[in-house]
């Protein structure tokens, strides 16, 4: 009896222990399940924040999210306190909205301009720096009261704007390989690019333009600020150290009507020998005939300008024919030496307002006519120059006459001994030239 009671008690104790043990196991399973369910609910109710969003918030704490959206719609971040900026951004974003994309804006001051850049990045991006793409850039005044257009940047006069288009044309042609088929239409398109575009950026060294309609598959143009600095409004010009004014006497030697085999070679040799740079105003038909000579003139470091295609009296031509004279010559020089000529010398110096407008380049005249075409002999030629030369002169000669080539060492020797320094036309005017303007000498511009 005692035994069996003990046995019963033992059994009871054992049952008790079993019960506790199983209870504990079940309870543990229950707790684990509860935790799993909580975790699952948590994951379900708050999907993990897209990486890009968090990165933008960390990197640009001042930007505010302005469009909260469902998961596949775009999200936009920008500082909304300024209405002008806000509207500009909204307008640009509305043309770009892509799914699963985050847009954000950064602004930084650059001289008197606030540069605003809109970036896009995939919502799942983990690296803003490598994954972000520039959607658009626009500039505003530093006080953000106005969005700047290209036309605000450039001085508000016809000649500055024409000079800007010319610089743009030169830059596009010389930094691309333009085919004969593209030549004329590209030139026309560049000259009619609207200056009211706002998609550009300006830094210390470059102006970068993004074109609204790409021309000849060119979408972005990056132009050296040095080429156009003088055309910008003073507010936006970069500070350039003014060259120290010296008392040096300067003269620009110019050679017309070439190139021609023999005489042009001979002139190039003499110029090389004396280390003198000059400017050659070429006829398109001769450039076409002697492309290697055009290239040689360029390779020797001389400047090349246009002198029309076949030397007509321009004042007697129709606008159509004027345009042909200019374009065909531009194309011949470009195809020979990959240069887009920006200087023009009208044959016989004959011009009027219609001619100036059609040429659309600075018109380079002269103030000393050597009359070398009369083949006057070295001493008479030298006398003409001696009697007329003064600092800042433009001397007219022709590289199609062997007599001129033969007299050149004497002429250069005389000018060197008289203290003259030889400059190209661009250098004579410190690279600040305007279309529809006539240049007779450094101090005679009309
Ligand atoms: Ni001529």
């Amino acid at each position: 009896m005692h035994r069996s009671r003990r046995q019963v008690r033992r059994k009871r104790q054992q049952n008790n222990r079993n019960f506790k043990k199983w209870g504990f196991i079940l309870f543990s399973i229950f707790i684990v399940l509860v935790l799993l369910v909580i975790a699952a609910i948590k994951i379900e109710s708050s999907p993990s924040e897209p990486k890009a969003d968090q990165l933008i918030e960390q990197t640009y704490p001042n930007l505010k999210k302005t469009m909260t959206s469902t998961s596949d719609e775009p999200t936009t971040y920008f500082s909304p306190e300024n209405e002008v900026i806000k509207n500009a951004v909204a307008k640009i974003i509305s043309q770009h909205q892509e799914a699963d994309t985050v847009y954000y804006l950064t602004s930084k001051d650059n001289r008197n301009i606030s540069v605003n850049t809109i970036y896009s990045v995939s919502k799942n991006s983990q690296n803003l720096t490598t994954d972000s793409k520039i959607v658009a850039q626009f500039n505003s005044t530093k006080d953000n009261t106005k969005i700047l257009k290209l036309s605000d940047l450039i001085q508000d006069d016809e000649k500055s704007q024409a000079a800007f288009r010319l610089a743009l044309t030169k830059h596009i042609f010389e930094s691309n390989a333009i085919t004969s088929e593209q030549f004329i239409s590209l030139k026309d398109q560049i000259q009619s690019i609207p200056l009211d575009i706002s998609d550009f950026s300006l830094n210390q060294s470059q102006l970068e333009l993004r074109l609204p309609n790409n021309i000849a598959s060119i979408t972005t143009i990056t132009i050296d600020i040095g080429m156009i600095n003088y055309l910008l409004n003073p507010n936006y010009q970069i500070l350039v150290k003014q060259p120290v004014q010296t008392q040096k006497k300067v003269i620009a030697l110019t050679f017309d009507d070439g190139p021609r085999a023999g005489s042009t070679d001979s002139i190039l040799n003499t110029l090389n020998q004396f280390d003198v740079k000059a400017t050659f105003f070429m006829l398109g038909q001769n450039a076409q005939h002697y492309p290697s000579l055009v290239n040689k003139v360029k390779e020797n470091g001389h400047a090349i300008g246009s002198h029309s295609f076949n030397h007509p009296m321009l004042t007697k031509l129709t606008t159509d024919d004027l345009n042909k004279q200019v374009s065909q010559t531009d194309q011949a020089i470009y195809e020979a030496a990959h240069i887009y000529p920006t200087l023009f010398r009208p044959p016989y110096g004959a011009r009027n307002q219609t001619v100036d407008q059609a040429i659309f380049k600075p018109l380079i005249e002269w103030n000393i006519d050597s009359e070398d075409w009369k083949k006057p002999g070295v001493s008479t030629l030298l006398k003409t120059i001696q009697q007329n030369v003064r600092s800042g002169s433009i001397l007219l000669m022709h590289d199609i006459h062997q007599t001129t080539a033969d007299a050149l060492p004497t002429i250069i020797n005389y000018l060197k001994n008289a203290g003259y320094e030889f400059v190209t036309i661009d250098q004579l005017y410190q690279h600040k030239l305007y279309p529809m303007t006539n240049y007779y000498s450094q101090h005679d511009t009309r």
Side-chain angles (χ1 to χ4, degrees):
M1 194 62 186
H2 270 290
R3 243 173 109 154
S4 73
R5 249 192 206 164
R6 239 192 346 258
Q7 275 173 346
V8 169
R9 199 184 302 142
R10 208 177 287 153
K11 188 133 199 182
R12 231 182 242 159
Q13 281 171 349
Q14 210 180 337
N15 279 345
N16 242 342
R17 273 203 298 274
N18 275 346
F19 179 76
K20 275 184 189 161
K21 192 170 131 195
W22 280 107
F24 179 74
I25 289 169
L26 284 172
F27 180 73
S28 299
I29 289 172
F30 174 74
I31 292 294
V32 168
L33 282 174
V34 166
L35 286 175
L36 281 174
V37 167
I38 289 172
I41 288 169
K42 221 169 190 175
I43 287 167
E44 185 72 16
S45 67
S46 66
S48 62
E49 210 49 39
K51 303 274 184 188
D53 274 22
Q54 292 167 341
L55 290 173
I56 292 167
E57 278 160 14
Q58 286 161 17
T59 318
Y60 307 104
N62 293 329
L63 296 187
K64 288 175 188 153
K65 204 188 273 192
T66 57
M67 282 184 219
T68 332
S69 50
T70 57
S71 61
D72 59 346
E73 276 175 16
T75 311
T76 311
Y77 284 88
F78 60 90
S79 297
E81 65 267 17
N82 181 285
E83 282 298 315
V84 174
I85 302 296
K86 194 164 102 177
N87 292 339
V89 173
K91 197 176 158 195
I92 293 164
I93 298 279
S94 70
Q95 298 161 357
H96 282 274
Q97 291 198 14
E98 280 171 45
D100 288 320
T101 302
V102 183
Y103 294 92
Y104 63 99
L105 173 83
T106 66
S107 302
K108 69 175 183 213
D109 282 348
N110 172 26
R111 292 199 294 279
N112 295 321
I113 299 177
S114 180
V115 182
N116 307 283
T117 310
I118 301 174
Y119 293 93
S120 73
V121 63
S122 158
K123 283 197 167 179
N124 298 316
S125 164
Q126 299 179 359
N127 190 332
L128 290 186
T129 322
T130 56
D131 297 349
S132 295
K133 277 180 263 170
I134 293 181
V135 171
Q137 230 165 5
F138 63 96
N139 305 272
S140 43
T141 51
K142 233 174 183 171
D143 58 4
N144 286 329
T145 53
K146 191 184 170 193
I147 305 295
L148 289 173
K149 291 175 176 169
L150 195 53
S151 51
D152 296 313
L153 219 61
I154 299 158
Q155 291 183 34
D156 187 20
D157 63 87
E158 193 193 9
K159 286 184 178 182
S160 296
Q161 293 178 357
F164 177 77
R165 288 184 190 283
L166 184 60
L168 210 58
T169 313
K170 181 182 176 64
H171 176 79
I172 291 174
F173 274 85
E174 292 181 4
S175 53
N176 292 281
I178 307 302
T179 63
S180 311
E181 294 76 39
Q182 291 174 309
F183 201 93
I184 306 283
S185 80
L186 180 59
K187 197 174 138 173
D188 290 346
Q189 287 178 74
I190 299 167
Q191 297 194 349
S192 56
I193 287 176
L195 292 185
D196 64 350
I197 57 174
S198 53
D199 199 354
F200 64 86
S201 49
L202 180 72
N203 63 34
Q204 280 303 109
S205 57
Q206 288 175 328
L207 170 68
E208 193 177 295
L209 296 176
R210 279 163 298 278
L211 301 175
N213 306 306
N214 51 344
I215 48 174
S217 66
I218 298 161
T219 50
T220 306
I221 303 168
T222 307
I223 189 166
D224 182 3
I225 208 86
M227 311 246 309
I228 54 161
N229 195 40
Y230 73 107
L231 305 172
L232 302 182
N233 269 319
N235 273 352
Y236 306 126
Q237 281 182 10
I238 53 164
L239 289 175
V240 181
K241 271 191 187 162
Q242 288 301 319
V244 182
Q245 290 294 326
T246 57
Q247 296 304 309
K248 273 178 190 163
K249 294 194 283 187
V250 290
I251 184 165
L253 305 186
T254 64
F255 297 95
D256 286 14
D257 298 1
R260 172 180 279 182
S263 49
T264 303
D265 291 292
S266 167
I267 283 170
L268 286 176
N269 286 344
T270 303
L271 294 174
N272 251 345
Q273 209 180 311
F274 285 91
D275 192 23
V276 163
K277 300 294 179 226
T279 307
F280 290 76
F281 290 98
M282 298 180 176
L283 291 179
Q285 62 181 10
N286 291 352
Q288 233 170 39
H289 204 253
Y290 299 109
S292 61
L293 262 182
V294 181
N295 206 44
K296 190 174 170 188
V297 172
K298 174 199 174 181
E299 294 299 317
N300 279 262
H302 305 293
I304 296 177
S306 164
H307 189 41
S308 82
F309 192 79
N310 58 0
H311 217 276
M313 183 74 80
L314 297 180
T315 45
K316 292 181 177 167
L317 298 189
T318 62
T319 308
D320 249 21
D321 286 338
L322 276 173
N323 289 334
K324 269 187 203 153
Q325 287 287 331
V326 177
S327 290
Q328 288 177 347
T329 309
D330 288 349
Q331 194 167 346
I333 291 172
Y334 181 77
E335 280 168 7
H338 206 70
I339 283 181
Y340 186 89
T342 51
L343 304 173
F344 190 91
R345 172 165 285 165
Y348 317 103
R351 48 149 298 273
N352 56 31
Q353 213 176 345
T354 314
V355 171
D356 293 359
Q357 296 270 359
I359 305 292
F360 209 73
K361 299 176 198 283
L363 297 127
I364 313 300
E365 311 279 348
W366 58 87
N367 69 334
I368 312 170
D369 184 352
S370 67
E371 299 196 318
D372 61 340
W373 55 274
K374 291 181 180 168
K375 304 185 178 164
V378 180
S379 61
T380 311
L381 192 56
L382 187 61
K383 208 170 178 185
T384 308
I385 293 167
Q386 283 171 333
Q387 282 170 353
N388 294 291
V389 71
R390 55 196 152 82
S391 184
S393 287
I394 299 175
L395 171 56
L396 167 65
M397 293 180 283
H398 298 82
D399 57 319
I400 52 167
H401 305 304
Q402 188 56 43
T403 45
T404 302
D406 294 342
L408 192 57
T410 311
I411 294 168
I412 292 178
N413 258 327
Y414 166 75
L415 292 168
K416 276 210 159 170
N417 289 333
Y420 281 94
E421 234 177 53
F422 300 85
V423 291
T424 63
I425 293 294
D426 289 296
Q427 290 167 335
L428 187 66
Y429 297 99
Q430 269 127 30
H431 301 271
K432 297 176 186 173
L433 290 148
Y434 297 87
M436 292 167 280
T437 307
N438 290 268
Y439 298 87
Y440 292 85
S441 74
Q442 195 175 33
H443 307 292
D444 184 3
T445 299
R446 302 174 208 171

